[in-house]
Amino acid sequence: MDNGQLTPETVPTTVGIDIRVESPQTLNRDAWDAFVSEHEAATPYHLSAWILGVERAYGHQCYAVMAYRGSTLCGVLPLTYIRRPVGRGVLVSLPFCDVGGTLAGDEVVHHALIEAARGLAADCGLNGFELRHRGAAIPGDGETAPIKVSMQRALPGDSDTLLGQFKAKLRSQIRKAEKNGLTGEVRTDVSALDAFYPMFAENMRRLGSPVHGIDWFRELLAAYGDRFRIGLVYYGDQVVGGGIVLMNARSACIPWASTLPEYNRLAPNMLLYWRLLSHVCDDGAEWFDFGRSTLGEGTYRFKKQWGAAPFQLDWQQWTLDGLNENEHPAAPSPIARWVRELVERGWRQLPLSVTRWLGPRIRKYITL
């Protein structure tokens, strides 16, 4: 493969469909993003900004796979190839988030994009690739098994209507945060990101998880522009909560949010989510993606109180021979959970300066 281009030997052809592959650096981002903005299944992660940020921040090779009928763009698939220092690499759509996968006008285009991904996997020396699609809504409460789900809620046309849809208890919790002296704002500037990051990095250490570096967020901000929103909650001059929202034409998502635990008694999370929800609602978003949660657990119930409902995560494992129907993300074994808990406890003991230096060097290889 030369300069990210698929070779005729590795790309099965689909009659009437022309496949083109470019890097985020050379991609016509306006054309890609215009297609994404019109597709009903698109997420903010499908925008070209995500793979551009991945490539610039972490150096992973990214591919913008496009399907054309004549001169008309009719499908896209963003992919990232992560070479790991130990073991086999992975080709995934998309890393560092819950969803990705194909956006296609019809099944013929969808399968043409799948065939292109198969060719890329072969060229990368891999046995397959992973697509992270969002599945259907889970009927009822859906709390029958401890599985990971995507929490989504539809938004009305304005924030006043949204507030009126909340239960009285939730509205009371929002007012409580304001009565406690908390204030909030939503910004798009670098200084807001710099205010958010130290709190976020400290919280990630507390959770025992390697943190993304500040350069990762700066590259995303540069790539997304005003579609990258930073919510901040203050107690006086102190930042006590913050979250980052990404937007496209129809939806918004919140990949990262943190609060300082010593201020949680003041309910900064309630004000943070209200400020962000009301902001994107008034900005025209029709859906809000609260992110991934385990059915029945604390974060699931927190998101559910805002009106979010669970949707399946259809994470597909493809081999060079086709879809592996029997391989799905499984719950970790007791031994795996024990090892993870041990590592997390050790990570919490490290100095913050060490976790901020070492974390990004590890995090770049963790695809979730």
Side-chain angles (χ1 to χ4, degrees):
M1 186 167 55
D2 181 29
N3 295 325
Q5 299 298 315
L6 293 168
T7 61
E9 293 78 17
T10 56
V11 184
T13 59
T14 300
V15 176
I17 302 295
D18 176 30
I19 294 292
R20 306 175 195 174
V21 182
E22 293 191 33
S23 78
Q25 310 288 344
T26 62
L27 176 67
N28 182 338
R29 294 183 60 200
D30 289 340
W32 176 285
D33 290 345
F35 179 85
V36 169
S37 296
E38 293 298 320
H39 200 285
E40 62 180 6
T43 72
Y45 304 117
H46 283 96
L47 292 170
S48 60
W50 188 261
I51 53 174
L52 183 62
V54 169
E55 193 162 278
R56 286 179 173 172
Y58 286 139
H60 298 312
Q61 189 167 7
C62 294
Y63 304 98
V65 184
M66 296 164 285
Y68 285 84
R69 281 193 176 100
S71 60
T72 302
L73 181 62
C74 55
V76 300
L77 172 60
L79 286 161
T80 298
Y81 174 36
I82 298 178
R83 295 179 178 90
R84 289 174 171 146
V86 177
R88 188 179 294 274
V90 61
L91 183 66
V92 59
S93 179
L94 280 162
F96 315 130
C97 62
D98 303 333
V99 290
T102 63
L103 296 178
D106 53 51
E107 283 298 308
V108 173
V109 175
H110 168 74
H111 288 294
L113 292 168
I114 294 293
E115 292 302 305
R118 188 179 302 175
L120 272 172
D123 276 3
C124 292
L126 302 174
N127 294 327
F129 55 95
E130 179 181 346
L131 300 183
R132 297 176 177 175
H133 290 113
R134 181 181 296 134
I138 298 175
D141 285 340
E143 298 182 33
T144 57
I147 61 171
K148 295 288 186 182
V149 295
S150 174
M151 297 296 286
Q152 311 284 319
R153 84 149 284 163
L155 297 176
D158 61 83
S159 58
D160 290 338
T161 303
L162 177 64
L163 185 63
Q165 292 176 350
F166 294 153
K167 293 181 179 179
K169 180 180 179 181
L170 181 58
R171 293 197 299 271
S172 175
Q173 290 175 314
I174 295 170
R175 288 193 297 270
K176 176 186 174 182
E178 295 171 330
K179 290 178 181 178
N180 286 336
L182 299 181
T183 58
E185 62 180 352
V186 179
R187 295 161 54 182
T188 59
D189 56 287
V190 175
S191 61
L193 179 58
D194 291 340
F196 164 81
Y197 185 77
M199 176 194 58
F200 176 72
E202 182 178 343
N203 193 53
M204 293 305 292
R205 184 190 63 157
R206 190 179 300 111
L207 294 172
S209 180
V211 67
H212 282 294
I214 185 63
D215 288 344
W216 159 252
F217 293 104
R218 287 174 178 161
E219 291 293 356
L220 286 182
L221 175 57
Y224 275 93
D226 63 5
R227 294 179 178 183
F228 187 106
R229 314 288 171 88
I230 306 147
L232 296 174
V233 174
Y234 300 88
Y235 185 62
D237 294 331
Q238 172 70 46
V239 175
V240 299
I244 292 175
V245 162
L246 306 176
M247 296 190 68
N248 70 3
R250 288 191 171 94
S251 64
C253 62
I254 182 165
W256 305 284
S258 290
T259 60
L260 294 179
E262 58 267 35
Y263 292 93
N264 281 349
R265 58 186 172 79
L266 303 178
N269 241 3
M270 307 310 295
L271 186 59
L272 173 65
Y273 273 79
W274 168 240
R275 283 284 185 266
L276 289 170
L277 279 164
S278 60
H279 176 86
V280 302
C281 187
D282 289 335
D283 205 23
E286 300 172 8
W287 283 89
F288 192 84
D289 178 356
F290 285 81
R292 189 173 76 252
S293 290
T294 301
L295 282 175
E297 293 191 353
T299 58
Y300 169 83
R301 298 190 184 282
F302 174 82
K303 297 167 185 177
K304 187 177 178 182
Q305 71 180 331
W306 295 94
F311 283 68
Q312 295 173 352
L313 288 171
D314 184 17
W315 290 5
Q316 302 173 351
Q317 302 294 326
W318 288 80
T319 71
L320 299 184
D321 297 322
L323 178 63
N324 187 343
E325 301 279 4
N326 298 318
E327 186 172 340
H328 299 281
S333 67
I335 293 178
R337 287 197 298 268
W338 178 81
V339 171
R340 177 172 178 172
E341 290 170 2
L342 185 65
V343 171
E344 288 174 349
R345 284 199 298 269
W347 191 264
R348 295 187 191 105
Q349 303 306 312
L350 296 175
L352 180 60
S353 59
V354 173
T355 62
R356 288 184 61 167
W357 179 85
L358 183 59
R361 289 161 172 79
I362 298 173
R363 190 65 182 84
K364 67 181 290 187
Y365 299 113
I366 302 173
T367 64
L368 293 179

